[in-house]
Amino acid sequence: MTNVPFFRPDIDDEDIAAVVEALRSGWITTGPRVQTFEAAFARYVGAAHAVAVNSCTAALHLALAALGLRRGQAVLVPTLTFAATAEVVTYFDATPDFVDVEPDTLCMDPAAVETRLARAWNRTTEIVGAIAVHYGGQMAPMPRLAHLLRAARCFVVEDAAHALPAAAYDPETERWISVGDLADVTGFSFYANKTITTGEGGMATTADATLAQTMRSLSLHGMSQDGWTRFGAGGSWDYAIAAPGFKYNMTDIAAALGLRQLAKVDRFRARREEVAARYTAGLGDLEEIEPPRERADRRHAWHLYPIRLRLDRLAIGRDEFGQALAARGVATSVHWRPLHMQPYYAQRYGYRAEDFPVAFREWRRLVSLPIFPGMSDAAVDHVIAAVRDTAADGRRRKFAVA
Ligand SMILES: *Cc1c(COP(=O)(O)O)cnc(C)c1O
């Protein structure tokens, strides 16, 4: 039987050779390869500065630290996101203030942000910023969100873990806006299953030299210079600690892989887009499911391909649907149980499931299908057949047959 994994990283012989070369070079932690990777990454995303770190979570944490988040303040976070987006806010004893998502893109809803900001005056916590998430690789409505947040003097952080590369059209300026263009700081992920990988890794990008310098220093114990500068020719052993920092630096081993992966990022995206188009062509007519909705004014990274089940037309639920796909050799996932429905956040802040009706309604019918650059047409077709068979088996019959 064919087995289709949910994801498989695309690592070729040249990627492996680059890592081996780094291992043989005599310098394996943060050094020349990290510097080259940062410069190439900044150029690719069109950012003035890029700071390489060991995860996107670290990048988001450093972003909030550099932006000066303080205890007792609040940061708006979409409830439909991965744990990291909200968790980094709690590192400061600050409050992740959840908002609902748009029904079609499942990204942070500008209308919900507007309502939250308008009511902020009678809250005990001060909303100082927001972290937008580009759900599945489709860019959040950044022009609108940035406009609303700037007007309220809030900082803007983008969690771009899914969105290398992605863009949105801004009708005001009649330009395409790339991921990161409208944010103070943007975090990218190079986790094993993200759009490019370094095993574990991340990048913080910004247009602001001071924010970049603060994040760079905080990424390595708050030290004024890193090991490569200190131990390299003409370096000195000494350094100054401006503030206590963290241990978030990227290794040259990871950067060697990152550089190779970055060279392939457009090819990877093109293949993911083909896979998505093949899915939509093969599933679009099926009445039991809805394919992901792509807006015409977005350039989608297609990190995920999340279908939604029409539960009114099915006699089975989402989990049974996933189990039936697994039985047909197709691995799936769910992105995600909304964070306000996770025990910690529900108990700590007293959220009820229905507080965010869109996220509450949609997550119950979300199933993410496999999508990755090395996926063959045959594998895509196997998944399409499995979804069609599962939908046919699970179809709700109007009249029971005796
Ligand atoms: C994967 C992911 C992260 C965390 O990335 P790491 O590199 O694993 O820290 C953050 N936000 C979202 C939306 C993610 O999917």
Side-chain angles (χ1 to χ4, degrees):
M1 192 184 76
T2 314
N3 272 302
V4 183
F6 182 65
F7 187 85
R8 195 183 146 78
D10 198 293
I11 307 286
D12 63 20
D13 288 345
E14 289 181 43
D15 294 1
I16 293 166
V19 171
V20 170
E21 203 183 302
L23 288 168
R24 291 214 164 103
S25 73
W27 191 275
I28 55 177
T29 185
T30 312
R33 286 174 175 81
V34 167
Q35 285 178 2
T36 311
F37 184 36
E38 287 177 338
F41 194 89
R43 208 173 321 119
Y44 181 74
V45 300
H49 308 277
V51 179
V53 286
N54 57 14
S55 72
C56 179
T57 309
L60 296 172
H61 182 190
L62 294 180
L64 298 181
L67 289 162
L69 181 62
R70 290 196 312 272
R71 170 191 200 133
Q73 295 178 324
V75 177
L76 300 178
V77 172
T79 183
L80 196 66
T81 185
F82 181 62
T85 323
E87 176 185 272
V88 292
V89 177
T90 70
Y91 292 176
F92 297 82
D93 261 330
T95 305
D97 196 333
F98 292 125
V99 291
D100 212 344
V101 293
E102 300 177 310
D104 59 345
T105 66
L106 302 180
C107 291
M108 188 181 228
D109 186 348
V113 168
E114 196 166 13
T115 308
R116 203 88 192 118
L117 289 171
R119 292 209 189 118
W121 61 269
N122 69 357
R123 292 170 50 82
T124 49
T125 52
E126 177 198 4
I127 298 172
V128 293
I131 309 178
V133 178
H134 309 306
Y135 181 89
Q138 176 154 236
M139 197 161 150
M142 287 317 299
R144 197 80 208 278
L145 286 172
H147 177 79
L148 285 169
L149 290 160
R150 299 283 176 215
R153 297 171 177 277
C154 285
F155 64 71
V156 181
V157 171
E158 288 179 44
D159 175 344
H162 295 184
L164 183 70
Y169 186 74
D170 180 7
E172 291 267 313
T173 58
E174 301 184 340
R175 303 195 290 131
W176 282 88
I177 306 286
S178 287
V179 159
D181 283 358
L182 299 181
D184 294 294
V185 182
T186 301
F188 295 87
S189 176
F190 313 131
Y191 180 67
N193 71 4
K194 297 297 162 74
T195 61
I196 67 169
T197 186
T198 61
E200 299 278 359
M203 193 76 80
T205 61
T206 180
D208 184 312
T210 308
L211 289 177
Q213 184 45 46
T214 305
M215 292 192 292
R216 184 174 301 287
S217 167
L218 289 177
S219 75
L220 193 66
H221 308 298
M223 281 158 52
S224 55
Q225 54 170 349
D226 65 21
W228 178 246
T229 330
R230 284 193 289 128
F231 296 114
S236 120
W237 66 270
D238 203 9
Y239 50 81
I241 294 171
F246 309 96
K247 183 66 166 94
Y248 283 165
N249 55 308
M250 177 181 275
T251 67
D252 259 28
I253 304 169
L257 180 55
L259 268 165
R260 284 280 318 153
Q261 291 267 306
L262 185 63
K264 295 183 280 186
V265 63
D266 288 321
R267 189 157 63 67
F268 286 170
R269 195 200 81 91
R271 179 58 192 156
R272 287 193 305 269
E273 187 171 52
E274 278 173 16
V275 170
R278 197 173 181 89
Y279 273 143
T280 303
L283 296 171
D285 65 313
L286 203 59
E287 294 196 332
E288 289 76 24
I289 69 133
E290 296 165 17
R293 290 174 234 171
E294 185 186 8
R295 288 210 187 159
D297 63 353
R298 306 291 156 86
R299 188 165 178 269
H300 203 311
W302 290 113
H303 166 59
L304 299 177
Y305 191 90
I307 60 168
R308 289 183 235 186
L309 307 182
R310 293 280 309 265
L311 295 174
D312 55 331
R313 292 172 184 264
L314 286 164
I316 57 172
R318 187 266 315 283
D319 292 346
E320 290 161 291
F321 201 97
Q323 283 152 16
L325 287 175
R328 292 178 164 96
V330 175
T332 60
S333 189
V334 174
H335 295 90
W336 298 265
R337 179 190 300 275
L339 289 181
H340 79 277
M341 294 170 65
Q342 288 289 357
Y344 173 77
Y345 295 106
Q347 281 156 28
R348 173 83 174 70
Y349 300 106
Y351 286 121
R352 289 162 310 141
E354 323 81 68
D355 283 349
F356 304 103
V358 179
F360 173 58
R361 186 179 72 222
E362 298 303 323
W363 91 277
R364 293 177 54 235
R365 58 193 198 103
L366 279 168
V367 179
S368 297
L369 301 181
I371 185 166
F372 50 93
M375 208 175 165
S376 66
D377 284 352
V380 181
D381 292 345
H382 179 82
V383 177
I384 291 171
V387 171
R388 297 193 76 92
D389 290 349
T390 302
D393 284 358
R395 192 167 288 152
R396 188 185 292 279
R397 318 254 169 227
K398 278 221 177 84
F399 306 102
V401 182

